[in-house]
């Protein structure tokens, strides 16, 4: 009896591991994008590449000095194509069924495949490629050829598979040498050692970076794999492992090759399924199939650039999220793989919902580069820490030489980082992390802001002069209202955190408070709106979301002034603006309960930016030049859905409470209900289900002391778990953690 039960359990486990992927997680097409730049990007936080592209990139590996630094391109030896051949030649397109080739990205299982059915040969060939999510030093290519039942074969002669790799040109970033040729007599693997050619900045990078690439097959020539006539199914795989340490790459390859193709693939899909089932997912209910696919693809592309939490060997330090992710970075259109404010303002609020460890690894990049930020402040004549507009391996300024004014004037990135630290603390309530990681950064950023401010004692005012806000069409302005507002928030948080962590002087705290209190926030009293900067003339065209960010995400001003900002800047933002701009309009309109406008801008924020085949985002609307796989746009879009329509937020109140907020919810057009699973808050796990004007919030905290709900003047202790329903006529809900 026990054996029967075990057998049934094992069958159930196998079925769950190889269950058919739901259609909302399967992106399938019979024709490729006209621009292959919009092929899907695959990654695991250590390695990444674009399908059919000529480059592999590795976390933290850059080449080039200063503004010429960019992700160091590794030739894509995994870009392999399979052909079915016999002694008469190879199959051609004439042998393929009509629509006999499908290209698929399986978001739930985390891989890309090409499936071709050869009509006249009675054969199907599946090619599958993926960076392994658990064995994350490994890149996998597999081909499975099958003889189909009840199909006539034109030729019964023996077949062979011809595998040809297309790695692209030699790398201009590495000097590669063969350290082991992988000959059969040695019983070892072909191994290349690569060293980057140019240092980013010698002070913080005294030596070139070094990587090792190991191959399960040499790949220095076309492979011809014999397929005996008696064999119905033929499987072959190629594994490449890459790491800074040869021993790590070697162990990864050895351990992977001990597994069958089935078990290796199963371990990969289990890791991806575990993320969707246990860490984060969004279910869209209603007549919104394409929106569901876009949401799932957006989450997938973000997670693909983040480190896997559970891996076979310990992860290296993470080097941050760039606007187009880990699988790109060799081109100017990819922003060379650099880190911007995009990380903290546009992507991190969503990443923090995936799990604290993901967010901490992103923020740890800033912590590790604090000394470089202090160096940058000092060399530009200021105190404290000035985080560069663009950073890469060393954490120093690497903005493209084309645009010096950007690196000189977009100082808001430093308080942006402090703001992100505050938001994460409001969600996590991790006091040890706040004092160990957040405090050193916020303290040094506050010192930079004080030294950068120009204060006029006679008027009791402080200003930031000669700056550029998020709107990069307007350089050399004074008192950009976004820069000043986020700096106020940063200075106030530094003051609070200094008191909380108990290791700074009263004099220093008072200095920060004084500058914060005196910073000018421009407001036109006649028109009741915030001019973007001194001298701004209403209806002057701007590039992107700037002043409207004072509402969401800053929660700095949600008054009628903010409503007027939305109206005015909606008519003054250029049509070719980046994707996340319209998402921020949508989130802010939704929070102002201007539903028609929210719906309009939400749809505008993705419908003109997402390529249909694999739901890859463009930075600019279709028809304009811009970046591909634009994670910044994905982050803004998901924020509009979760924090706009879902009315969720984490933040700090005027009386220094750090809370979770729920407001009035709505759903996007054609959506009946949205369910968001596994939202972390403190030590708890929560889920949110929202509909038009009602929502259900469920949280469970098995470690802490429980929750308290504040609704208007009423306070209610909720215990260690609760399930609440809120209707539109109810006061907004605030949830605090009991300590």
């Amino acid at each position: 009896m026990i054996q029967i039960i075990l057998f049934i359990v094992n069958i159930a486990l196998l079925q769950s591991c190889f269950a058919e992927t739901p259609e909302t997680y399967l992106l399938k097409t019979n024709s490729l994008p006209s621009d292959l730049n919009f092929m899907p990007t695959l990654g695991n936080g250590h390695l990444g590449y674009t399908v059919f592209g000529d480059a592999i990139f590795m976390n933290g590996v850059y080449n080039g000095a200063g503004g010429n630094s960019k992700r160091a391109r590794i030739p894509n030896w995994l870009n392999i194509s399979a052909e079915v051949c016999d002694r008469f030649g190879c199959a051609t397109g004439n042998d393929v069924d009509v629509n006999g080739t499908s290209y698929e990205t399986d978001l739930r299982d985390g891989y890309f495949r090409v499936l071709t059915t050869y009509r006249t040969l009675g054969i199907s060939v599946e090619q599958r490629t993926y960076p392994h999510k658990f064995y994350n030093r490994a890149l996998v290519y597999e081909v499975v050829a099958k003889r189909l039942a009840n199909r006539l074969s034109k030729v019964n002669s023996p077949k062979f598979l011809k595998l040809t790799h297309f790695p692209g040109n030699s790398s201009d970033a590495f000097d590669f040498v063969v350290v082991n040729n992988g000959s059969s007599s040695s019983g070892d693997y072909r191994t290349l050692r690569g060293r980057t050619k140019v240092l980013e900045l010698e002070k913080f990078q005294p030596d070139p970076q070094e990587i090792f690439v190991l191959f399960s097959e040499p790949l220095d020539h076309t492979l011809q794999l014999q397929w005996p006539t008696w064999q119905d199914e033929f499987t072959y795989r190629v594994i490449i492992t890459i790491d800074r340490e040869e021993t790590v790459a070697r162990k990864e390859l050895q351990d992977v090759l001990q597994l069958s193709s089935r078990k290796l693939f199963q371990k990969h899909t289990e890791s991806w399924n575990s993320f969707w089932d246990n860490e984060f997912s969004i279910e869209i209910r209603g007549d919104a199939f394409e929106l569901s696919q876009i949401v799932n693809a957006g989450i997938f592309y973000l997670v693909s650039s983040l480190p896997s939490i559970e891996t076979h060997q310990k992860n290296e330090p993470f080097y941050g999220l760039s606007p187009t992710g880990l699988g790109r970075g060799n081109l100017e259109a990819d922003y060379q793989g650099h880190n911007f404010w995009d990380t903290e303002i546009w992507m991190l609020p969503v990443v923090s919902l995936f799990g604290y460890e993901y967010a901490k690894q992103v923020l740890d990049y800033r912590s590790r580069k604090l000394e470089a930020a202090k160096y940058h402040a000092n060399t530009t004549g200021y105190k404290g820490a000035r985080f560069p507009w663009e950073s890469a391996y060393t954490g120093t300024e690497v903005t493209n030489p084309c645009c010096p004014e950007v690196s000189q004037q977009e100082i808001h990135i430093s308080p942006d980082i402090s703001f992100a630290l505050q938001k994460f603390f409001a969600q996590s309530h991790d006091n040890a992390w706040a004092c160990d990681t957040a405090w050193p950064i916020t303290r040094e950023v506050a010192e930079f802001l004080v030294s950068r401010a120009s204060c006029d004692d006679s008027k009791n005012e402080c200003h930031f002069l000669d700056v550029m806000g998020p709107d990069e069409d307007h350089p050399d302005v004074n008192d950009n209202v976004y820069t000043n507002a986020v700096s106020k928030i940063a200075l106030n948080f530094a003051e609070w955190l200094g008191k909380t962590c108990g290791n700074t002087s009263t004099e220093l705290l008072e200095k920060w408070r004084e500058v914060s209190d005196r910073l000018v926030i421009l407001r036109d009293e006649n028109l009741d709106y915030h001019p973007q900067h001194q001298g701004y003339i209403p209806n002057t065209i701007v590039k992107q979301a700037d002043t409207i960010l004072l509402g969401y995400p800053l929660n700095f001003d949600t008054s009628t002034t903010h409503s007027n900002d939305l109206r005015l800047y909606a008519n003054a933002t250029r049509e070719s603006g980046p994707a996340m701009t319209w998402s921020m309009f949508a989130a802010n309109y939704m929070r102002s309960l201007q539903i028609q406008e929210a719906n309009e801008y939400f749809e505008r924020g993705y419908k003109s930016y997402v390529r249909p085949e694999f739901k890859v985002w463009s930075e600019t609307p279709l028809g304009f030049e811009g970046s591909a796989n634009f994670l910044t746009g994905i982050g803004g879009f998901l924020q509009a859905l979760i924090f706009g329509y879902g009315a969720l937020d984490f933040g700090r109140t005027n009386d220094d409470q750090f809370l979770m907020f729920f407001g009035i919810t709505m759903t996007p057009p054609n959506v009946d209900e949205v369910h968001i699973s596994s939202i972390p808050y403190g030590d708890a796990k929560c889920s949110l289900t929202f509909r038009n004007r009602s929502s259900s919030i469920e949280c469970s905290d098995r470690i802490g002391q429980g929750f308290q709900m504040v609704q208007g003047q009423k306070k209610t202790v909720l215990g260690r778990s609760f399930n609440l329903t809120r209707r539109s006529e109810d006061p907004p809900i605030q949830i605090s953690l009991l300590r």
Side-chain angles (χ1 to χ4, degrees), residues 397 399-410 468:
E397 183 62 78
T399 297
N400 193 306
C402 74
C403 312
E405 71 282 357
V406 176
S407 61
Q408 294 164 8
Q409 297 174 21
E410 290 215 55
M468 177 189 292

Side-chain angles (χ1 to χ4, degrees), residues 28 96 212 220 232 315 410 437 469 558 581 591 642 660:
K28 183 176 179 179
V96 178
F212 290 87
D220 53 355
D232 289 336
N315 282 327
E410 290 215 55
T437 300
T558 57
T581 283
R591 285 172 167 239
I642 299 164
M660 179 165 62

Side-chain angles (χ1 to χ4, degrees), residues 44 46 52 101 126 130 190 219 234 261 281 299 322 405 417 454 475 489 506 524 561 574 598 600 611 616-617 649 703:
N44 57 22
H46 180 73
F52 299 154
T101 298
E126 178 182 354
Y130 57 95
R190 179 174 175 83
L219 293 184
F234 179 82
S261 292
S281 64
I299 296 169
S322 61
E405 71 282 357
I417 292 168
S454 299
I489 295 171
T506 302
D524 185 313
T561 306
R574 61 176 158 102
E600 175 190 341
R611 300 285 174 146
V616 172
W617 283 67
D649 208 352
I703 299 175

Side-chain angles (χ1 to χ4, degrees), residues 665-686:
T665 62
M666 295 292 292
T667 57
N670 303 315
V671 174
D672 298 329
E673 187 175 88
V674 178
H675 176 72
I676 306 172
S677 68
S678 301
I679 299 169
Y681 177 49
D683 293 322
K685 278 286 189 180
C686 305

Side-chain angles (χ1 to χ4, degrees), residues 34 37 43 67 69 108 165 189 194 210 258 293 329 472 514 552 563 580 662 719:
S34 57
N37 198 37
S69 173
R108 182 164 177 81
H165 73 292
Y189 312 108
E210 187 173 73
Q258 292 297 312
Q293 286 193 322
E472 294 168 337
E514 179 183 2
Y552 179 82
S563 296
M580 70 281 189
F662 296 98

Side-chain angles (χ1 to χ4, degrees), residues 226-521:
Q226 296 303 314
W227 183 11
T229 53
W230 52 264
Q231 194 171 4
D232 289 336
E233 181 173 313
F234 179 82
T235 301
Y236 195 80
R237 64 183 179 181
V238 176
I239 312 290
I240 300 173
T241 60
I242 308 175
D243 197 79
R244 296 177 192 271
E245 300 292 333
E246 183 179 7
T247 54
V248 171
R250 183 174 301 280
K251 176 173 173 52
E252 199 86 335
L253 185 55
Q254 290 172 336
D255 292 349
V256 162
L257 292 177
Q258 292 297 312
L259 301 173
S260 67
S261 292
R262 182 181 178 86
K263 291 197 177 213
L264 180 64
F265 182 60
Q266 180 179 340
K267 184 63 179 175
H268 172 72
T269 59
E270 284 175 351
S271 294
W272 265 109
N273 291 175
S274 177
F275 170 81
W276 294 111
D277 293 338
N278 303 315
E279 294 180 27
F280 190 77
S281 64
I282 298 177
E283 184 181 353
I284 308 289
R285 298 163 182 166
D287 186 18
F289 176 74
E290 184 178 26
L291 180 62
S292 294
Q293 286 193 322
I294 292 170
V295 167
N296 290 334
I299 296 169
F300 174 81
Y301 291 132
L302 271 174
V303 175
S304 294
S305 284
L306 292 167
S308 299
I309 301 304
E310 182 184 357
T311 57
H312 181 52
Q313 299 185 82
K314 183 180 177 181
N315 282 327
E316 291 188 324
F318 186 55
Y319 282 82
L321 280 168
S322 61
T324 60
L326 180 57
R328 300 170 189 260
N330 193 48
L331 305 174
E332 288 188 17
D334 300 322
Y335 294 102
Q336 293 88 29
H338 297 164
N339 295 280
F340 295 73
W341 75 312
D342 302 47
T343 301
E344 282 78 18
I345 298 300
W346 299 104
M347 293 183 258
L348 189 64
V350 177
V351 169
S352 297
L353 300 181
F354 299 164
Y356 296 149
E357 189 56 35
Y358 292 104
K360 285 182 177 180
Q361 293 205 42
V362 171
L363 290 168
D364 279 350
Y365 170 74
R366 301 299 190 184
S367 180
R368 295 196 320 274
K369 302 307 175 185
L370 182 57
E371 288 304 312
K374 291 164 70 173
Y375 167 82
H376 183 46
N378 180 261
T379 55
T380 53
Y382 302 105
K383 297 179 181 178
R386 178 183 184 179
F387 285 90
W389 180 240
E390 299 183 33
S391 60
Y393 176 64
T394 64
T396 56
E397 183 62 78
V398 292
T399 297
N400 193 306
C402 74
C403 312
E405 71 282 357
V406 176
S407 61
Q408 294 164 8
Q409 297 174 21
E410 290 215 55
I411 65 169
H412 63 83
I413 186 171
S414 295
D416 290 339
I417 292 168
S418 286
F419 175 72
L421 294 168
Q422 174 175 300
K423 290 282 282 190
F424 180 67
F425 176 73
Q427 181 182 351
S428 68
H429 286 255
D430 189 332
N431 289 290
W433 171 87
C435 291
D436 292 344
T437 300
W439 164 241
I441 297 174
T442 56
R443 177 186 62 210
E444 298 298 336
V445 167
E447 282 293 273
F448 164 67
L449 293 173
V450 168
S451 70
R452 179 63 169 79
S454 299
C455 295
D456 184 341
D457 293 337
S458 65
K459 294 183 179 180
N460 199 32
E461 293 178 347
C462 292
H463 309 268
F464 286 122
L465 307 178
D466 301 317
V467 299
M468 177 189 292
D471 169 25
E472 294 168 337
D473 287 352
H474 289 88
D476 296 310
V477 300
N478 297 333
D479 289 328
N480 168 258
V481 68
Y482 172 85
T483 300
N484 288 19
V486 76
S487 296
K488 270 182 173 283
I489 295 171
L491 289 164
N492 293 337
F493 183 53
E495 180 189 352
W496 180 86
L497 201 52
K499 294 175 183 177
T500 301
C501 297
N503 52 3
T504 195
S505 68
T506 302
E507 180 182 356
L508 194 61
L509 299 181
E510 290 176 349
K511 179 176 66 173
W512 297 343
R513 186 186 314 121
E514 179 183 2
V515 173
S516 174
D517 290 344
R518 296 167 68 186
L519 266 176
V520 169
I521 301 296

